[in-house]
Amino acid sequence: MDQFKVKNTVDFLIIIPPADTVKTIYPPYGSMYIASALRNKGFNPKLLNIDLERITNAEIIERIRILDPKYIGFSGIVAPSYKYLKELSRELKNAFPEKKQILGGGLASAAAVLFNNTPIDIIVKGEGDITIVELIEGLNNGRSLENIPGIYYRNDLSYNFTGDRRLITNLDSLPYPAFDLIDLDHYLPDGLEFMRKFTKKIKNNSLLDPKRKRRMITIATSRGCFGQCSFCFRAYAGLRLFSLKYIFDLVEYCIKKYGVGFFSFGDECFAPNKQRNWQFIEEFKRRKLDVPFRILGMRVDTVDKEIIEAYKEIGCWMIEYGFESGSQKMLNIMDKRVNVEQNRRVGRWTYEAGIYTSPTIVLAMPGESDRTVRESIDFLKSLNFNFKQYQYTYALPIPGSPLYDFARLSGAIEDEDEYLTSLTGSVSGAGVFHVNLTDEPDEVVAGWSKKIVAEVDGHYFISKYKIRFLVWLFILLGKIKYHIDKNSLFAIFKKKIFGLFSISLAPKMQVDAAAVKRISKFRKRKELSFEKFCEGFSNSTINRDLALKKINQRISPANE
């Protein structure tokens, strides 16, 4: 890239680590906003996007030699980047011992682990737009860091924390993110082809107009979330919104500047209430926009049937909700503050309006059992969506979340460095069982995803085609392929020869232990029964007493 060919005076280089095994199409907005904040104060920041480039540590070191930045930054947004950042920071400290290393993002919640296991010098907690400017100014002028709120920094014996920084109240005061510091073409996929990954039937002929701009970009309309889901990390409390003027000015800027014709609004929480949804719809109409879009991070308690139909009218083709479970007990433990019927009703409204949605089921939260998984399967069936129009993910404890606290309290995580190091791309994927926080054996927990796939996909074939034989054949072929891959087909065939031809699709929660080999190294202590801490609390309604944060409070005295 040209920015690395010429030596410039670079004040701050932000390294963006790989987020997953697959490159994301979500622009690195955290780093882009930090870069814009520094530019506004006259500094020269640069971004080194390893998530996109996937270059080696040796190549990173060479890039840094060319740029010679005053300070090296790391965007520690996701916990699975811990292992990568730990190794890279050590190599960079050996190569550039005089350069201070600064980390920001979600990993700041694991500050103690980072200071104990990496050479990182300073950690920025929470929102960094203002903090980073004060920090760079302070370092340049040799001032003490103790008066800069929002940071952890090393001292002779350990580290100091300067206290939380107040959040930015007016998000409109922020400049646009530094789009020019990234390879933006990668983050502008073909919008029509992107739609076809989710819905093959595109009935709107205007979308097929060859004159339509095809590029799609993801932008955010807010920061934070007013939800308190127990599996989720919260860098800061509450939800703050960009004004609709800021949002739609940015939309029009992207249309004119970058030739964008499709949008994805990628928020943790798109709207806090119905009023915000209606305001968004009305402003969209007032601007006379003709851009198809999808919405991520919508809550079911902020929409109704009329809002959903209005979104369809103005070009919304997809809305993602946080359904998470079909069990009220699990929704309560997750602290979702909604009920199963709300999820079902909004899911059906969205489907009937012709808007795509794909329910995600979070498996293996504390308290999960065969019964609660059965409730989730029945919930997915009741939606009667199309084939494979659902997702599942295994709960993964992330520093800063109540789920992570539970994992530590229950003994599943004893060595945080060991656990965080284990979160590589191969084990931290959405469908991978890695941590057992339930009262169930590992092989049962690992088998839940297979049960969901077999039963929900079987339900689709039965309800859509009414051909029982195809269902039987589909499941049979899947089992055969699995055992071929595992070189266990002959043994299974010998054992199951008489049972294969009488396979039943009746609801069962039995698991073939021989077919499930995944064993978790990180598991809750067997003698600590989660159900014991739930005794006496109803699962039938929204029950805040069952929230995992309160469960943790009950467990804590028991472990003292």
Side-chain angles (χ1 to χ4, degrees):
M1 296 177 65
D2 291 340
Q3 63 172 316
F4 295 103
K5 293 181 180 178
V6 180
K7 185 171 181 176
N8 299 311
T9 302
V10 176
D11 296 289
F12 192 48
L13 177 68
I14 305 175
I15 297 174
I16 303 167
D20 202 341
T21 53
V22 179
K23 302 172 186 178
T24 179
I25 62 167
Y26 196 110
Y29 279 121
S31 297
M32 292 160 67
Y33 270 110
I34 292 296
S36 287
L38 287 167
R39 274 180 168 176
N40 261 13
K41 295 297 183 178
F43 294 109
N44 181 26
K46 294 291 181 184
L47 304 183
L48 179 50
N49 193 348
I50 310 303
D51 181 62
L52 183 57
E53 295 196 54
R54 304 293 168 125
I55 59 177
T56 65
N57 288 0
E59 291 173 301
I60 294 172
I61 290 172
E62 182 58 28
R63 296 278 184 92
I64 294 176
R65 289 193 194 281
I66 295 172
L67 282 175
D68 192 25
K70 290 183 180 178
Y71 310 105
I72 298 172
F74 300 104
S75 176
I77 298 298
V78 293
S81 65
Y82 173 82
K83 181 176 185 289
Y84 178 87
L85 292 177
K86 180 172 71 169
E87 295 172 353
L88 178 59
S89 65
R90 289 173 176 174
E91 290 193 37
L92 294 185
K93 183 58 72 173
N94 289 334
F96 311 103
E98 77 287 354
K99 293 186 185 296
K100 287 195 178 296
Q101 299 184 10
I102 305 168
L103 178 139
L107 272 176
S109 292
V113 185
L114 286 162
F115 281 130
N116 288 334
N117 296 280
T118 77
I120 290 170
D121 301 285
I122 302 168
I123 296 174
V124 176
K125 180 184 177 185
E127 204 167 36
D129 308 73
I130 297 174
T131 304
I132 194 63
V133 173
E134 292 184 9
L135 177 59
I136 299 300
E137 288 176 341
L139 290 171
N140 285 347
N141 297 323
R143 294 200 301 264
S144 172
L145 302 182
E146 62 183 357
N147 295 320
I148 300 174
I151 64 170
Y152 299 89
Y153 65 94
R154 290 186 184 275
N155 57 30
D156 293 337
L157 299 177
S158 181
Y159 62 90
N160 292 340
F161 177 52
T162 60
D164 292 320
R165 176 179 290 276
R166 293 180 62 183
L167 298 176
I168 299 169
T169 55
N170 179 18
L171 293 183
D172 286 10
S173 65
L174 298 173
Y176 286 169
F179 290 108
D180 61 305
L181 292 185
I182 63 172
D183 181 3
L184 191 58
D185 285 343
H186 170 76
Y187 299 100
L188 300 175
D190 184 304
L192 192 61
E193 293 305 314
F194 187 85
M195 284 182 64
R196 285 177 171 146
K197 294 178 182 178
F198 297 90
T199 175
K200 302 294 184 183
K201 298 179 181 179
I202 298 177
K203 299 179 181 179
N204 188 342
N205 290 331
S206 70
L207 295 179
L208 305 176
D209 187 339
K211 296 181 181 179
R212 178 176 291 278
K213 296 176 181 178
R214 296 275 288 269
R215 288 177 152 191
M216 184 187 81
I217 193 171
T218 300
I219 63 175
T221 69
S222 63
R223 285 188 176 182
C225 180
F226 71 85
Q228 297 181 16
C229 301
S230 57
F231 53 79
C232 190
F233 158 74
R234 290 260 60 81
Y236 32 78
L239 172 67
R240 287 160 299 137
L241 306 171
F242 288 98
S243 73
L244 292 174
K245 181 181 185 310
Y246 182 100
I247 294 165
F248 284 101
D249 283 353
L250 178 57
V251 165
E252 292 181 340
Y253 172 82
C254 291
I255 292 172
K256 295 174 183 177
K257 179 78 173 177
Y258 303 115
V260 172
F262 291 73
F263 281 83
S264 174
F265 296 105
D267 295 274
E268 293 180 86
C269 182
F270 179 75
N273 49 47
K274 295 177 182 178
Q275 180 184 23
R276 172 73 170 189
N277 278 308
W278 281 120
Q279 290 171 342
F280 182 94
I281 292 165
E282 292 306 314
E283 183 64 15
F284 193 101
K285 291 179 178 178
R286 192 186 73 80
R287 300 263 182 153
K288 298 180 179 179
L289 294 171
D290 178 22
V291 287
F293 63 95
R294 68 169 181 162
I295 297 171
L296 306 180
M298 183 77 87
R299 284 183 61 93
V300 298
D301 53 356
T302 66
V303 295
D304 54 32
K305 187 175 182 180
E306 290 72 27
I307 288 173
I308 293 169
E309 291 173 346
Y311 271 124
K312 174 64 176 179
E313 181 184 337
I314 64 173
C316 180
W317 63 271
M318 177 178 181
I319 301 176
E320 286 294 309
Y321 306 95
F323 289 155
E324 323 302 9
S325 179
S327 164
Q328 190 61 53
K329 173 186 175 181
M330 299 314 300
L331 291 178
N332 292 340
I333 290 170
M334 295 172 186
D335 205 3
K336 288 297 299 183
R337 308 186 197 183
V338 298
N339 60 51
V340 175
E341 187 52 38
Q342 283 178 287
N343 284 342
R344 182 181 292 108
R345 185 168 60 243
V346 170
R348 288 303 306 170
W349 285 342
T350 305
Y351 182 73
E352 290 165 1
I355 297 177
Y356 183 92
T357 189
S358 179
T360 297
I361 300 300
V362 178
L363 293 170
M365 286 286 292
E368 191 86 89
S369 65
D370 282 352
R371 181 179 61 80
T372 60
V373 174
R374 162 61 48 211
E375 290 173 336
S376 289
I377 290 174
D378 292 342
F379 167 74
L380 291 175
K381 289 180 179 179
S382 73
L383 293 173
N384 202 28
F385 288 171
N386 284 330
F387 182 48
K388 287 196 179 298
Q389 196 170 334
Y390 65 91
Q391 307 167 60
Y392 62 83
T393 179
Y394 277 93
L396 193 69
I398 300 298
S401 67
L403 184 63
Y404 191 82
D405 294 338
F406 178 81
R408 294 185 64 192
L409 287 167
S410 66
I413 298 176
E414 295 181 340
D415 185 327
E416 292 185 77
D417 175 65
E418 178 189 31
Y419 170 72
L420 292 173
T421 301
S422 76
L423 300 183
T424 58
S426 61
V427 301
S428 60
V432 178
F433 164 56
H434 189 57
V435 184
N436 190 351
L437 303 176
T438 76
D439 291 342
E440 305 293 337
D442 289 355
E443 61 270 18
V444 170
V445 178
W448 284 336
S449 60
K450 295 179 176 62
K451 276 293 176 185
I452 288 178
V453 171
E455 293 209 30
V456 179
D457 289 0
H459 169 77
Y460 168 81
F461 277 112
I462 289 175
S463 62
K464 298 294 182 181
Y465 294 120
K466 311 296 184 185
I467 302 177
R468 186 180 181 89
F469 173 75
L470 286 179
V471 184
W472 173 83
L473 185 62
F474 174 82
I475 296 176
L476 174 59
L477 291 176
K479 287 177 177 288
I480 291 174
K481 183 181 183 303
Y482 178 85
H483 291 299
I484 288 175
D485 293 341
K486 296 294 184 180
N487 294 320
S488 58
L489 181 61
F490 179 75
I492 296 297
F493 181 77
K494 183 178 178 181
K495 181 179 179 181
K496 300 289 184 178
I497 184 66
F498 297 108
L500 283 175
F501 296 100
S502 60
I503 187 170
S504 171
L505 291 173
K508 293 179 181 180
M509 292 308 301
Q510 298 172 352
V511 176
D512 182 0
V516 180
K517 300 296 184 181
R518 181 71 180 160
I519 301 299
S520 174
K521 183 176 183 179
F522 304 98
R523 66 175 66 84
K524 176 181 68 64
R525 295 194 304 273
K526 290 183 178 180
E527 69 273 12
L528 192 153
S529 170
F530 184 84
E531 292 304 317
K532 181 182 70 173
F533 296 99
C534 299
E535 290 177 357
F537 297 98
S538 169
N539 302 324
S540 59
T541 59
I542 299 173
N543 186 349
R544 300 302 303 281
D545 289 320
L546 268 177
L548 190 58
K549 190 172 183 179
K550 293 193 175 182
I551 298 290
N552 288 341
Q553 293 170 356
R554 294 178 214 141
I555 294 176
S556 295
N559 292 333
E560 290 177 354

